[in-house]
Amino acid sequence: MPVTHFTRLRAFRFVGLTLLTAAVFAIVRVPSALAQWRALDGFDLIAEADAIASAAAPADVRTLVGDSLFGESGAVRARFVPPALASSLPVMSSLLGDSAPTRTGVYPVREASGTPGFHFVTMRPFADKVSGRIGGYRIGAWSAEGSTAKRTGSLPSGFIEVTKDNQDTYVSEHFQLRHFLTKDQHDVWPKYLVLQESLLDKLELLIAELEAEDIVGYEMFVMSGFRTPQYNAQGVGAGGRASESRHQFGDAADVYLRGSKDWMPDLTGDGRVDIKDARRLARAAERVEQKHPSLVGGIGVYPATSAHGPFVHIDVRGTAARWGQW
């Protein structure tokens, strides 16, 4: 049957409408992505990127990226960029190089001294996880996957790719990427990590709170940071890990101050290392929440076992939760 003028017109209108819809989506998508970024801490990416691109020479890193990205602690040293945001903001090229927004990686903003003072980390899309893996690295599946009623924030926005070369990158004043990796698959590289800047901020504020009490000279050790769902599932059960553990979402860490023999030091001064020392750490975390309500979350106090000393769970879930041996 010959194609009539009317049929052609309908086809042209369909194509035109499709292109218009795509154009509108593209126009709307960039402000939406930018709004997501600004909602985090008020950081104006366009203004800051333009300032960086036009800078005649490297300057103090705070001048380049702005104070807001350093968190309430002033000690955060990284921003994890979701794939959708990086790819929808061409202005990221001014900050990271011509093709960096589309490449997974760790990109330093260098200070005048030439040392990296801050890092932008572009993540791999969540969709890159196929059959529970990215490459040879086993991740597993979150319970919300495949659900027809997914809740906002119920799945990570992407994965930080950690390699042998970038694992020592400082993402805050005291913490490196490797500190938060799941404790398995030791010989598999690259590894993949979910981590929230707000957790780093809270841990750094906790260190500052302890220092104000003259508790100094100890490393805050991350006993457990991010747990892949497949790793977390191995310990789910009575007395074990929660099936919906916050560790799977990158906003939780089990920590203690590392003293002699890799155990918590005697923080109470009673000559013993026991649950009382973990409680002192937990009370300091509560004071952080009182001073910084945007970082409220869970705090759990755990006793020593034959394998480890007492420790404290800390997260930034957004609502207060308390459990364990307070």
Side-chain angles (χ1 to χ4, degrees):
M1 177 184 296
V3 179
T4 65
H5 175 74
F6 178 71
T7 303
R8 289 193 188 96
L9 182 60
R10 285 199 305 175
F12 291 153
R13 283 178 176 173
F14 175 77
V15 172
L17 181 59
T18 301
L19 293 174
L20 178 61
T21 301
V24 170
F25 176 77
I27 293 170
V28 171
R29 188 182 178 201
V30 171
S32 174
L34 183 57
Q36 292 175 28
W37 185 287
R38 284 175 171 160
L40 293 174
D41 49 27
F43 175 61
D44 189 334
L45 179 61
I46 291 178
E48 297 294 347
D50 286 347
I52 292 169
S54 61
D60 177 80
V61 70
R62 288 181 185 273
T63 302
L64 292 178
V65 302
D67 282 335
S68 62
L69 284 186
F70 287 82
E72 296 186 42
S73 65
V76 177
R77 296 288 183 271
R79 173 63 66 195
F80 309 125
V81 187
L85 180 60
S87 62
S88 64
L89 287 172
V91 73
M92 287 286 284
S93 298
S94 298
L95 189 65
L96 305 178
D98 290 340
S99 62
T102 60
R103 297 200 316 268
T104 298
V106 176
Y107 301 97
V109 177
R110 295 189 177 276
E111 296 189 78
S113 63
T115 59
F118 195 90
H119 294 86
F120 286 92
V121 182
T122 54
M123 300 189 289
R124 286 193 67 160
F126 187 86
D128 282 0
K129 181 174 70 71
V130 178
S131 299
R133 294 171 176 258
I134 298 182
Y137 191 77
R138 300 188 307 276
I139 296 174
W142 279 260
S143 62
E145 290 187 71
S147 170
T148 56
K150 291 180 182 177
R151 296 170 296 171
T152 301
S154 60
L155 293 174
S157 58
F159 300 102
I160 300 166
E161 186 172 270
V162 182
T163 68
K164 288 183 179 181
D165 291 333
N166 72 22
Q167 62 176 318
D168 293 329
T169 299
Y170 275 91
V171 289
S172 71
E173 187 173 325
H174 294 93
F175 299 101
Q176 298 166 283
L177 283 174
R178 62 183 175 82
H179 292 149
F180 297 91
L181 289 168
T182 303
K183 302 297 194 294
D184 69 348
Q185 305 178 75
H186 303 291
D187 298 327
V188 180
W189 296 94
K191 304 177 189 295
Y192 293 92
L193 170 66
V194 177
L195 181 60
Q196 304 297 329
E197 296 93 340
S198 54
L199 175 64
L200 295 169
D201 206 12
K202 189 171 186 177
L203 293 178
E204 291 289 353
L205 286 165
L206 176 55
I207 291 173
E209 186 71 23
L210 294 168
E211 289 176 345
E213 299 178 15
D214 291 326
I215 299 176
V216 296
Y218 304 108
E219 174 194 2
M220 181 165 286
F221 181 72
V222 180
M223 192 171 88
S224 180
F226 171 59
R227 296 180 195 148
T228 62
Q230 69 89 25
Y231 180 82
N232 187 74
Q234 297 172 25
V236 169
R241 303 167 187 154
S243 60
E244 290 299 309
S245 169
R246 295 311 311 172
H247 288 270
Q248 299 175 101
F249 299 92
D251 62 9
D254 295 339
V255 300
Y256 62 87
L257 295 184
R258 183 141 69 174
S260 61
K261 299 181 180 179
D262 198 29
W263 279 41
M264 181 93 79
D266 177 15
L267 300 181
T268 61
D270 63 0
R272 304 175 59 186
V273 175
D274 55 22
I275 196 68
K276 295 178 184 177
D277 300 296
R279 288 172 186 153
R280 184 167 185 184
L281 188 59
R283 287 194 295 270
E286 280 202 311
R287 289 192 295 276
V288 168
E289 290 191 355
Q290 291 165 5
K291 296 174 183 177
H292 305 273
S294 65
L295 299 174
V296 68
I299 305 176
V301 181
Y302 291 85
T305 70
S306 58
H308 56 72
F311 67 93
V312 177
H313 168 103
I314 294 174
D315 68 49
V316 284
R317 67 182 66 188
T319 55
R322 302 291 183 266
W323 66 92
Q325 297 189 17
W326 279 83

